[in-house]
Amino acid sequence: MFAAQGVAVAAVSTTVPAVESHLRLSSLAMTALTIALTLAAGAGSFAGLAAVRRSGPVAVMRAAVLTAAAALLSVAWAPGRLTASAAYVLLGLALGAIDVSVNTRAATLERHYGRSILSSFYAAWSAAGVAAALLTAGVSRLGWPVQYVLTAHAALVALLALTVRPHGLVSPHGEGPAPAQEVLGRRVWARLVPFGVVLLVAYVVDSTVSAWSTAYLHQTLAASLAAAPLAYAAYQAGTVTGRASADRMVRRIGPVAVVRAATLLAAAALAGLAAAPSWPYAVVAAGCAGLGTAALIPLCVASAGRLRPGAPETVLARLNVFNYVGVLVGAGASGGLGATGHFRIAYAVPAALALTLLTTARFFRPASAGVDATVSELNSRPLRGRTP
């Protein structure tokens, strides 16, 4: 399901110039569509929370991913701008529901295994994003219209959704509805804010690179429509590499050191992206930015999910507010700057913003009591045999 979501997001991000051309939209109008999608995703997150409580995360994630596939088809074959706008909103609702359901399920599994594994799920998300970006580039190089590009993405998303099967690795409540709704106290909210700030900045960076790197390469650095998606592919390739090794690094040097190193690398890479003299340099910088931001999002989700083990879906739905604010600010601001010919500034500002995360790294230090202590203890021991 993480892979299916990665394909859906990449399908939107890597077809921005082609959709603009197909629907005869201005850059500002396309920015407005991106903002509408993000707002819909925020609403979809809370709708997904209610659905998870009623039907369980597995049923919700399957339905939401199939809805995302249908929305991509609707965008592809929309007869006009109004229909395409409605399809973008539907896609946003589906992506929000996917977010809360897959993260709830992943957080439950990480607690079950008793060691850091959530970054590996996000590695699947990023790997699928790479594949989807390369698919966009390949099909565009063949001269196929954007309708066929998005149809191919929709088919891949639907195929991944159909492979989902429930399993019994966790308690029965992991598959079905939550047994009760746990109320979050003020102390939990206070502990959630630092992770929310990191998530907000991480998604400002992520959305700035993901949503507009294709347009940046095409409009500012004169890359062709076939070459323009390569920055997105490089960014996701960097996140695959970073996330594939993040769990191991967390167990070896601790989450605080990982967050600090990731922050410094992301800031340097974004500065390089802003100053890139040509599109090949921008592709390399985008890859380094992905490597830097790779661990931040899954570490935030894992840390927040442990604040209330009895109600991870509630905590994560609230955490998603920071997620979508970050996407809204990143995609909206960079799109607005790009529309006025200032894409370089759109990458320089997040570079400075990323450095502020150095002050929040200490909050990722595992707690000395409760569930976090149990997880920390288990993190230091290898998993042997079948999990009970």
Side-chain angles (χ1 to χ4, degrees):
M1 289 294 93
F2 274 91
Q5 187 185 26
V7 171
V9 172
V12 174
S13 300
T14 60
T15 56
V16 167
V19 170
E20 279 183 357
S21 176
H22 173 62
L23 295 176
R24 295 184 176 88
L25 296 172
S26 66
S27 294
L28 284 176
M30 195 67 209
T31 300
L33 268 185
T34 303
I35 291 172
L37 185 150
T38 304
L39 292 173
S45 179
F46 285 94
L49 168 62
V52 166
R53 287 170 171 170
R54 184 173 58 251
S55 305
V58 175
V60 173
M61 68 175 75
R62 185 188 294 117
V65 171
L66 287 172
T67 302
L72 285 173
L73 277 177
S74 299
V75 172
W77 300 100
R81 298 176 184 177
L82 185 60
T83 307
S85 300
Y88 269 98
V89 171
L90 178 63
L91 180 60
L93 291 169
L95 290 176
I98 296 170
D99 258 347
V100 70
S101 57
V102 298
N103 282 314
T104 295
R105 184 64 173 163
T108 300
L109 287 170
E110 180 169 274
R111 289 197 310 276
H112 172 72
Y113 276 88
R115 60 189 174 97
S116 179
I117 62 170
L118 207 141
S119 293
S120 299
F121 288 112
Y122 276 86
W125 191 102
S126 299
V130 174
L134 293 176
L135 176 62
T136 300
V139 175
S140 297
R141 189 172 183 81
L142 293 174
W144 292 9
V146 68
Q147 294 96 319
Y148 292 102
V149 177
L150 287 171
T151 298
H153 287 307
L156 182 55
V157 170
L159 181 63
L160 288 168
L162 295 175
T163 66
V164 175
R165 297 290 183 272
H167 55 77
L169 282 179
V170 297
S171 68
H173 298 308
E175 298 291 353
Q181 296 180 17
E182 186 173 334
V183 178
L184 302 183
R186 292 182 180 179
R187 186 178 178 184
V188 173
W189 286 115
R191 295 173 63 194
L192 184 65
V193 169
F195 305 128
V197 171
V198 174
L199 196 69
L200 189 154
V201 175
Y203 270 105
V204 167
V205 174
D206 182 82
S207 61
T208 300
V209 179
S210 298
W212 296 106
S213 62
T214 301
Y216 173 48
L217 264 67
H218 182 61
Q219 295 175 15
T220 303
L221 301 180
S224 66
L225 286 176
L230 294 180
Y232 184 91
Y235 175 76
Q236 294 299 343
T239 62
V240 171
T241 303
R243 287 169 176 173
S245 59
D247 290 321
R248 190 180 305 109
M249 294 300 294
V250 167
R251 293 193 290 268
R252 179 173 299 176
I253 65 175
V256 175
V258 170
V259 170
R260 287 173 177 161
T263 297
L264 290 172
L265 178 57
L270 286 167
L273 191 59
S278 60
W279 69 261
Y281 290 94
V283 170
V284 174
C288 293
L291 187 62
T293 58
L296 295 178
I297 295 170
L299 278 176
C300 286
V301 172
S303 299
R306 290 196 294 269
L307 294 179
R308 274 294 180 268
E313 72 283 354
T314 303
V315 176
L316 295 175
R318 301 305 188 271
L319 186 68
N320 270 350
V321 172
F322 295 92
N323 169 346
Y324 295 118
V325 170
V327 172
L328 193 62
V329 172
S334 59
L337 288 168
T340 58
H342 295 93
F343 266 128
R344 293 187 185 277
I345 298 176
Y347 289 106
V349 172
L353 191 60
L355 291 175
T356 64
L357 299 187
L358 292 173
T359 62
T360 63
R362 62 188 178 88
F363 292 101
F364 287 83
R365 186 174 292 110
S368 57
V371 175
D372 286 346
T374 302
V375 174
S376 297
E377 178 186 353
L378 290 171
N379 277 348
S380 64
R381 295 182 293 177
L383 189 66
R384 295 186 178 91
R386 174 173 288 187
T387 303

